């Protein structure tokens, strides 16, 4: 209940993760789940996810990014980030370093 939220704390703020970084995070989650559930190391990771209802790290990051975007879109018009998103949409800007689901 504490380890994974601490591990992913503010991860949605990063624009991109490399495939190598995602794979390493998935391995860490698999190790934590196997130890927590006291199952053998040979237990298939996706089988554990299906049985426990957990999401992959990649899916959790996607969800967190969508929730961040949702919170920005539905926030006060005076927020700097909302103003920035609005300008980015109006000007159809690309390559600003901000990756949102606009």
């Amino acid at each position: 209940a504490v380890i994974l939220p601490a591990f992913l704390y503010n991860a949605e703020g990063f624009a991109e993760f490399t495939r190598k970084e995602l794979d390493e995070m998935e391995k860490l989650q698999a190790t934590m789940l196997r130890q927590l559930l006291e199952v053998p190391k040979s237990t298939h990771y996706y089988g554990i996810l299906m049985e426990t209802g957990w999401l992959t790290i990649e899916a959790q990051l996607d969800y967190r990014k969508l929730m961040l975007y949702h919170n920005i879109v539905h926030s006060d018009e005076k927020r700097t980030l909302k103003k920035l998103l609005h300008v980015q949409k109006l000007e159809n800007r690309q390559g600003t370093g901000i990756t949102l689901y606009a």
Side-chain angles (χ1 to χ4, degrees):
V2 176
I3 297 170
L4 195 59
F7 178 63
L8 294 177
Y9 182 72
N10 282 340
E12 63 272 14
F14 290 90
E16 297 289 328
F17 286 97
T18 65
R19 175 52 41 199
K20 182 180 177 185
E21 291 169 333
L22 287 170
D23 290 343
E24 288 180 22
M25 288 189 283
E26 296 290 356
K27 286 179 190 175
L28 181 62
Q29 177 171 272
T31 301
M32 288 188 299
L33 286 172
R34 285 186 188 109
Q35 288 177 356
L36 179 69
L37 298 172
E38 298 178 355
V39 295
K41 290 182 181 181
S42 61
T43 306
H44 197 269
Y45 174 55
Y46 290 105
I48 293 172
L49 294 177
M50 294 282 289
E51 289 295 321
T52 60
W54 283 59
L55 297 173
T56 63
I57 292 290
E58 189 171 5
Q60 290 178 57
L61 290 171
D62 287 344
Y63 175 78
R64 286 170 168 258
K65 284 184 180 189
L66 284 170
M67 289 308 299
L68 174 61
Y69 179 71
H70 172 81
N71 289 335
I72 292 168
V73 168
H74 292 91
S75 67
D76 188 341
E77 297 294 328
K78 295 179 183 177
R79 278 187 77 184
T80 303
L81 191 53
K82 185 156 184 182
K83 290 178 185 178
L84 182 66
L85 178 63
H86 181 69
V87 169
Q88 186 180 13
K89 277 181 162 180
L90 284 176
E91 297 180 4
N92 197 21
R93 298 181 98 186
Q94 306 249 341
T96 59
I98 298 172
T99 304
L100 294 174
Y101 301 95

